[in-house]
Amino acid sequence: MSEGVEFEDFVVARYAALLRTAYLLTQDRALAEDLLQTVLAKCWPVWRRIDDPAPYVHRTLVNTYTSWWRRRWNSEYPTADLPHTPTTNHLGADDRTDLGEALRRLPRKMRAVIVLRFYEDLTEAEAARILGCSVGTVKSQTSRALAKLRIDPALLDAAREQS
């Protein structure tokens, strides 16, 4: 049992944080909303059997995101008309920032580790549990991701402009 936490109460309490995580993973608001809705739809039927809902939902979020990106090319179609792009972002992260661009260039697993460790402020052990890997893997992926971010051209240019 999910420690007496009702599904609706969990969604109301955690929706904004989960949507932010989904956005940081996908870097697209509409995809983030779709991803979160898919994850919640997967969790709802098994809710009563979940012992600890927060890590379970996070892991489902990351796993669903990873599987989506493996087959995403099958669902995209080019168009001559550009969609309307919103000018503001209410998710706590701006997709036009240099850091957002740098995150987009990271491989999926590295991006997931960075989002969980630094945006969700999870410990290495919590991130490892969500990602289904060892703490050592989280440490090495974090180290590699931070090394890539340190040499990312957009972040280097931004740092030069500030000095």
mmCIF file of all heavy atoms in Angstrom, residues 118-141:
data_model
loop_
_atom_site.group_PDB
_atom_site.id
_atom_site.type_symbol
_atom_site.label_atom_id
_atom_site.label_comp_id
_atom_site.label_asym_id
_atom_site.label_seq_id
_atom_site.Cartn_x
_atom_site.Cartn_y
_atom_site.Cartn_z
ATOM 1 N N PHE A 118 20.526 17.458 -9.280
ATOM 2 C CA PHE A 118 20.667 18.891 -9.032
ATOM 3 C C PHE A 118 19.369 19.687 -9.133
ATOM 4 O O PHE A 118 19.228 20.701 -8.459
ATOM 5 C CB PHE A 118 21.732 19.473 -9.958
ATOM 6 C CG PHE A 118 23.076 18.837 -9.726
ATOM 7 C CD1 PHE A 118 23.588 17.911 -10.617
ATOM 8 C CD2 PHE A 118 23.800 19.118 -8.582
ATOM 9 C CE1 PHE A 118 24.811 17.305 -10.389
ATOM 10 C CE2 PHE A 118 25.020 18.513 -8.337
ATOM 11 C CZ PHE A 118 25.533 17.599 -9.246
ATOM 12 N N TYR A 119 18.413 19.259 -9.939
ATOM 13 C CA TYR A 119 17.143 19.971 -9.997
ATOM 14 C C TYR A 119 16.157 19.410 -8.987
ATOM 15 O O TYR A 119 15.409 20.142 -8.369
ATOM 16 C CB TYR A 119 16.541 19.914 -11.407
ATOM 17 C CG TYR A 119 17.242 20.828 -12.367
ATOM 18 C CD1 TYR A 119 18.279 20.369 -13.167
ATOM 19 C CD2 TYR A 119 16.873 22.167 -12.475
ATOM 20 C CE1 TYR A 119 18.930 21.209 -14.043
ATOM 21 C CE2 TYR A 119 17.521 23.018 -13.342
ATOM 22 C CZ TYR A 119 18.544 22.535 -14.130
ATOM 23 O OH TYR A 119 19.183 23.372 -14.987
ATOM 24 N N GLU A 120 16.144 18.084 -8.835
ATOM 25 C CA GLU A 120 15.267 17.457 -7.850
ATOM 26 C C GLU A 120 15.929 17.360 -6.489
ATOM 27 O O GLU A 120 15.289 16.994 -5.516
ATOM 28 C CB GLU A 120 14.861 16.064 -8.320
ATOM 29 C CG GLU A 120 13.897 16.066 -9.474
ATOM 30 C CD GLU A 120 12.558 16.693 -9.115
ATOM 31 O OE1 GLU A 120 12.006 16.380 -8.040
ATOM 32 O OE2 GLU A 120 12.071 17.510 -9.907
ATOM 33 N N ASP A 121 17.232 17.634 -6.413
ATOM 34 C CA ASP A 121 18.009 17.628 -5.173
ATOM 35 C C ASP A 121 17.938 16.276 -4.451
ATOM 36 O O ASP A 121 17.809 16.207 -3.237
ATOM 37 C CB ASP A 121 17.547 18.759 -4.248
ATOM 38 C CG ASP A 121 18.588 19.105 -3.196
ATOM 39 O OD1 ASP A 121 19.788 18.888 -3.457
ATOM 40 O OD2 ASP A 121 18.208 19.564 -2.107
ATOM 41 N N LEU A 122 18.038 15.199 -5.240
ATOM 42 C CA LEU A 122 18.028 13.862 -4.662
ATOM 43 C C LEU A 122 19.450 13.430 -4.332
ATOM 44 O O LEU A 122 20.410 13.881 -4.956
ATOM 45 C CB LEU A 122 17.419 12.861 -5.646
ATOM 46 C CG LEU A 122 15.964 13.093 -6.048
ATOM 47 C CD1 LEU A 122 15.525 12.026 -7.043
ATOM 48 C CD2 LEU A 122 15.047 13.101 -4.842
ATOM 49 N N THR A 123 19.580 12.544 -3.377
ATOM 50 C CA THR A 123 20.893 11.995 -3.054
ATOM 51 C C THR A 123 21.293 11.016 -4.154
ATOM 52 O O THR A 123 20.466 10.606 -4.978
ATOM 53 C CB THR A 123 20.862 11.240 -1.706
ATOM 54 O OG1 THR A 123 20.021 10.091 -1.851
ATOM 55 C CG2 THR A 123 20.370 12.135 -0.579
ATOM 56 N N GLU A 124 22.568 10.627 -4.132
ATOM 57 C CA GLU A 124 23.042 9.644 -5.111
ATOM 58 C C GLU A 124 22.277 8.343 -4.964
ATOM 59 O O GLU A 124 21.912 7.706 -5.957
ATOM 60 C CB GLU A 124 24.543 9.421 -4.941
ATOM 61 C CG GLU A 124 25.354 10.623 -5.356
ATOM 62 C CD GLU A 124 26.793 10.574 -4.879
ATOM 63 O OE1 GLU A 124 27.107 9.799 -3.950
ATOM 64 O OE2 GLU A 124 27.616 11.317 -5.449
ATOM 65 N N ALA A 125 22.015 7.941 -3.727
ATOM 66 C CA ALA A 125 21.289 6.691 -3.482
ATOM 67 C C ALA A 125 19.853 6.767 -4.005
ATOM 68 O O ALA A 125 19.349 5.814 -4.607
ATOM 69 C CB ALA A 125 21.292 6.361 -1.990
ATOM 70 N N GLU A 126 19.187 7.899 -3.776
ATOM 71 C CA GLU A 126 17.815 8.063 -4.269
ATOM 72 C C GLU A 126 17.785 8.054 -5.795
ATOM 73 O O GLU A 126 16.917 7.422 -6.398
ATOM 74 C CB GLU A 126 17.215 9.364 -3.738
ATOM 75 C CG GLU A 126 16.961 9.366 -2.254
ATOM 76 C CD GLU A 126 16.651 10.748 -1.696
ATOM 77 O OE1 GLU A 126 17.159 11.765 -2.234
ATOM 78 O OE2 GLU A 126 15.897 10.811 -0.707
ATOM 79 N N ALA A 127 18.723 8.764 -6.419
ATOM 80 C CA ALA A 127 18.791 8.787 -7.887
ATOM 81 C C ALA A 127 19.070 7.388 -8.427
ATOM 82 O O ALA A 127 18.466 6.969 -9.419
ATOM 83 C CB ALA A 127 19.855 9.773 -8.357
ATOM 84 N N ALA A 128 19.961 6.652 -7.779
ATOM 85 C CA ALA A 128 20.287 5.288 -8.213
ATOM 86 C C ALA A 128 19.053 4.396 -8.137
ATOM 87 O O ALA A 128 18.795 3.595 -9.043
ATOM 88 C CB ALA A 128 21.413 4.723 -7.361
ATOM 89 N N ARG A 129 18.290 4.538 -7.061
ATOM 90 C CA ARG A 129 17.079 3.729 -6.906
ATOM 91 C C ARG A 129 16.070 4.053 -8.000
ATOM 92 O O ARG A 129 15.473 3.165 -8.600
ATOM 93 C CB ARG A 129 16.470 3.955 -5.524
ATOM 94 C CG ARG A 129 15.295 3.049 -5.249
ATOM 95 C CD ARG A 129 14.819 3.158 -3.841
ATOM 96 N NE ARG A 129 14.644 4.554 -3.460
ATOM 97 C CZ ARG A 129 13.910 4.977 -2.457
ATOM 98 N NH1 ARG A 129 13.294 4.108 -1.701
ATOM 99 N NH2 ARG A 129 13.782 6.246 -2.175
ATOM 100 N N ILE A 130 15.891 5.325 -8.314
ATOM 101 C CA ILE A 130 14.950 5.737 -9.355
ATOM 102 C C ILE A 130 15.412 5.257 -10.725
ATOM 103 O O ILE A 130 14.627 4.783 -11.533
ATOM 104 C CB ILE A 130 14.768 7.271 -9.340
ATOM 105 C CG1 ILE A 130 13.943 7.665 -8.110
ATOM 106 C CG2 ILE A 130 14.103 7.768 -10.619
ATOM 107 C CD1 ILE A 130 13.925 9.152 -7.828
ATOM 108 N N LEU A 131 16.707 5.367 -10.992
ATOM 109 C CA LEU A 131 17.241 4.991 -12.299
ATOM 110 C C LEU A 131 17.475 3.488 -12.427
ATOM 111 O O LEU A 131 17.755 2.996 -13.515
ATOM 112 C CB LEU A 131 18.545 5.744 -12.560
ATOM 113 C CG LEU A 131 18.395 7.255 -12.694
ATOM 114 C CD1 LEU A 131 19.757 7.928 -12.715
ATOM 115 C CD2 LEU A 131 17.593 7.610 -13.935
ATOM 116 N N GLY A 132 17.401 2.776 -11.312
ATOM 117 C CA GLY A 132 17.605 1.342 -11.356
ATOM 118 C C GLY A 132 19.048 0.955 -11.632
ATOM 119 O O GLY A 132 19.317 0.018 -12.377
ATOM 120 N N CYS A 133 19.966 1.703 -11.043
ATOM 121 C CA CYS A 133 21.389 1.425 -11.243
ATOM 122 C C CYS A 133 22.109 1.571 -9.907
ATOM 123 O O CYS A 133 21.501 1.876 -8.894
ATOM 124 C CB CYS A 133 21.978 2.378 -12.288
ATOM 125 S SG CYS A 133 21.932 4.120 -11.815
ATOM 126 N N SER A 134 23.411 1.371 -9.919
ATOM 127 C CA SER A 134 24.187 1.475 -8.684
ATOM 128 C C SER A 134 24.532 2.930 -8.372
ATOM 129 O O SER A 134 24.500 3.794 -9.259
ATOM 130 C CB SER A 134 25.480 0.662 -8.804
ATOM 131 O OG SER A 134 26.352 1.286 -9.717
ATOM 132 N N VAL A 135 24.893 3.181 -7.138
ATOM 133 C CA VAL A 135 25.339 4.517 -6.730
ATOM 134 C C VAL A 135 26.596 4.894 -7.505
ATOM 135 O O VAL A 135 26.769 6.043 -7.920
ATOM 136 C CB VAL A 135 25.577 4.574 -5.205
ATOM 137 C CG1 VAL A 135 26.222 5.886 -4.799
ATOM 138 C CG2 VAL A 135 24.260 4.387 -4.457
ATOM 139 N N GLY A 136 27.458 3.924 -7.746
ATOM 140 C CA GLY A 136 28.673 4.168 -8.514
ATOM 141 C C GLY A 136 28.373 4.645 -9.926
ATOM 142 O O GLY A 136 29.054 5.524 -10.456
ATOM 143 N N THR A 137 27.328 4.085 -10.536
ATOM 144 C CA THR A 137 26.925 4.532 -11.877
ATOM 145 C C THR A 137 26.427 5.965 -11.834
ATOM 146 O O THR A 137 26.750 6.769 -12.710
ATOM 147 C CB THR A 137 25.839 3.590 -12.451
ATOM 148 O OG1 THR A 137 26.380 2.277 -12.535
ATOM 149 C CG2 THR A 137 25.369 4.043 -13.812
ATOM 150 N N VAL A 138 25.652 6.297 -10.815
ATOM 151 C CA VAL A 138 25.177 7.677 -10.673
ATOM 152 C C VAL A 138 26.368 8.619 -10.516
ATOM 153 O O VAL A 138 26.432 9.670 -11.153
ATOM 154 C CB VAL A 138 24.197 7.815 -9.483
ATOM 155 C CG1 VAL A 138 23.908 9.285 -9.178
ATOM 156 C CG2 VAL A 138 22.907 7.073 -9.766
ATOM 157 N N LYS A 139 27.339 8.233 -9.695
ATOM 158 C CA LYS A 139 28.525 9.071 -9.489
ATOM 159 C C LYS A 139 29.297 9.262 -10.796
ATOM 160 O O LYS A 139 29.691 10.379 -11.135
ATOM 161 C CB LYS A 139 29.438 8.445 -8.436
ATOM 162 C CG LYS A 139 28.908 8.532 -7.028
ATOM 163 C CD LYS A 139 29.875 7.876 -6.053
ATOM 164 C CE LYS A 139 29.376 7.956 -4.635
ATOM 165 N NZ LYS A 139 30.324 7.373 -3.691
ATOM 166 N N SER A 140 29.516 8.165 -11.524
ATOM 167 C CA SER A 140 30.302 8.276 -12.759
ATOM 168 C C SER A 140 29.541 9.062 -13.826
ATOM 169 O O SER A 140 30.127 9.884 -14.536
ATOM 170 C CB SER A 140 30.715 6.902 -13.281
ATOM 171 O OG SER A 140 29.588 6.154 -13.693
ATOM 172 N N GLN A 141 28.214 8.835 -13.938
ATOM 173 C CA GLN A 141 27.423 9.591 -14.918
ATOM 174 C C GLN A 141 27.372 11.075 -14.559
ATOM 175 O O GLN A 141 27.426 11.932 -15.434
ATOM 176 C CB GLN A 141 26.003 9.020 -15.009
ATOM 177 C CG GLN A 141 25.919 7.672 -15.673
ATOM 178 C CD GLN A 141 26.235 7.742 -17.148
ATOM 179 O OE1 GLN A 141 25.688 8.559 -17.881
ATOM 180 N NE2 GLN A 141 27.146 6.896 -17.586
#
